[in-house]
């Protein structure tokens, strides 16, 4: 093995070892009864998991995380394809760069800042509702009604992460042989037909990477629901990660690590097959 390869592998291996140690340590703690009421931990097996899974907060927060992930993966991919298609067919590279920068802007700032921006936009006096009233439309109770809180979170999440899908689909489109596109143009094919018949069928790798990342980001989301809800106790915006944080803050450490382990297992079950598929496709090429 070359010296340069060893130099590159060592930091990755070290980081992976530390990460694996923390994951294993977290799993070990989840089999104990460590909490504010039990400062001296003892092994209780799966009892901690049974006690956590039975609670309403766990099922409610896990359902929110899964609904949020499904919404972002579905709508994010659709919007990513549409935005990437529009950017691809722009004749000006400068215009394409400008619009792509605008779409990617939410990713350039922290999710906490994005959440604060949308708190202002959801303000009934100075935000979107102020504009709706001025043009004669009714106000919407974005974060002030239990029926619109979670859809509002989905809206913000889609706005924040759709740029990821757009970027990968656009990269996939740009790698397709231009001669194929030019031949389709000569046959009087419309832009939509080129997108549907040529670009999308050759962008499976983009779909795999985009779907995996959208799921990963949405399933482990914390800052957006935490700030939009004003804390970890709002059950209408509580996701699995927010619930895990709440358990930790009230010093139910074993329950918090149990939820963390469940989140890790679910994310791994979804992400690892995607990673293996994309690696196999790259190796074949």
């Amino acid at each position: 093995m070359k010296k340069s390869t060893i130099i590159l592998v060592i930091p990755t291996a070290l980081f992976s070892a530390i990460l694996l140690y923390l994951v294993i340590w977290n799993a070990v703690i989840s089999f104990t009864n460590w909490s504010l009421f039990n400062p001296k931990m003892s092994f209780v097996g799966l009892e901690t998991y049974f006690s956590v899974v039975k609670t309403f907060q766990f099922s409610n927060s896990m359902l929110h995380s899964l609904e949020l992930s499904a919404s972002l993966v579905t709508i994010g991919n659709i919007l990513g394809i549409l935005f990437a298609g529009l950017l691809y067919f722009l004749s000006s590279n400068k215009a394409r760069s400008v619009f792509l920068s605008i779409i990617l802007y939410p990713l350039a700032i922290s999710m906490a800042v994005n959440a604060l921006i949308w708190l202002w936009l959801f303000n009934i006096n100075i935000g979107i509702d102020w504009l709706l009233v001025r043009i004669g439309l009714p106000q919407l109770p974005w974060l002030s009604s239990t029926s619109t809180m979670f859809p509002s979170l989905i809206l913000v999440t889609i706005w924040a992460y759709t740029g990821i899908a757009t970027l990968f689909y656009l990269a996939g489109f740009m790698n397709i042989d231009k001669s194929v596109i030019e031949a389709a143009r000569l046959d009087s094919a419309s832009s939509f037909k080129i997108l549907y018949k040529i670009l999308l069928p050759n962008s499976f790798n983009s779909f795999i990477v985009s779907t995996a990342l959208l799921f990963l980001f949405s399933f482990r989301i914390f800052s957006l629901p935490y700030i939009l809800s004003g804390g970890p106790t709002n059950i209408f915006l509580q996701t699995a990660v927010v619930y895990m944080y709440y358990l930790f803050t009230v010093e139910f450490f074993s329950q918090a690590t149990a939820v963390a382990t469940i989140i890790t297992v679910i994310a791994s079950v979804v992400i690892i097959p995607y990673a293996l598929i994309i690696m196999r496709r790259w190796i074949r090429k």
Side-chain angles (χ1 to χ4, degrees), residues 43-207:
F43 181 80
V44 295
L46 295 174
E47 182 180 329
T48 301
Y49 286 90
F50 291 144
S51 63
V52 167
V53 172
K54 290 179 181 178
T55 62
F56 165 76
Q57 290 89 343
F58 174 80
S59 59
N60 177 68
S61 61
M62 188 60 67
L63 179 62
H64 282 165
S65 292
L66 294 174
E67 288 179 347
L68 187 62
S69 297
S71 300
L72 181 59
V73 168
T74 303
I75 302 176
N77 271 315
I78 293 173
L79 291 178
I81 291 169
L82 293 176
F83 290 155
L86 291 173
L87 293 172
Y88 179 82
F89 290 113
L90 285 176
S91 57
S92 172
N93 289 329
K94 186 176 181 180
R96 183 184 297 115
S97 299
V98 170
F99 286 115
L100 181 60
S101 299
I102 294 173
I103 295 173
L104 294 177
Y105 176 74
L107 295 171
I109 57 180
S110 70
M111 289 300 114
V113 175
N114 284 327
L116 289 174
I117 291 172
W118 278 92
L119 276 179
W120 286 107
L121 290 175
F122 287 149
N123 188 293
I124 61 174
N125 297 316
I126 59 176
I128 298 173
D129 282 340
W130 177 87
L131 179 61
L132 293 177
V133 171
R134 293 299 182 275
I135 61 178
L137 296 176
Q139 291 182 324
L140 293 175
W142 302 100
L143 297 177
S144 57
S145 171
T146 57
S147 61
T148 56
M149 282 184 182
F150 194 69
S152 299
L153 173 60
I154 293 176
L155 172 64
V156 177
T157 306
I158 292 171
W159 176 82
Y161 288 111
T162 296
I164 292 176
T166 303
L167 182 63
F168 282 106
Y169 280 112
L170 182 60
F173 294 168
M174 298 298 288
N175 285 328
I176 297 174
D177 191 354
K178 297 296 188 296
S179 62
V180 179
I181 308 299
E182 293 173 0
R185 290 290 194 191
L186 292 175
D187 290 336
S188 302
S190 64
S191 297
F192 178 79
K193 193 170 184 179
I194 293 174
L195 175 64
Y196 177 70
K197 294 287 187 178
I198 301 175
L199 298 180
L200 282 181
N202 291 282
S203 302
F204 185 65
N205 286 351
S206 300
F207 170 76

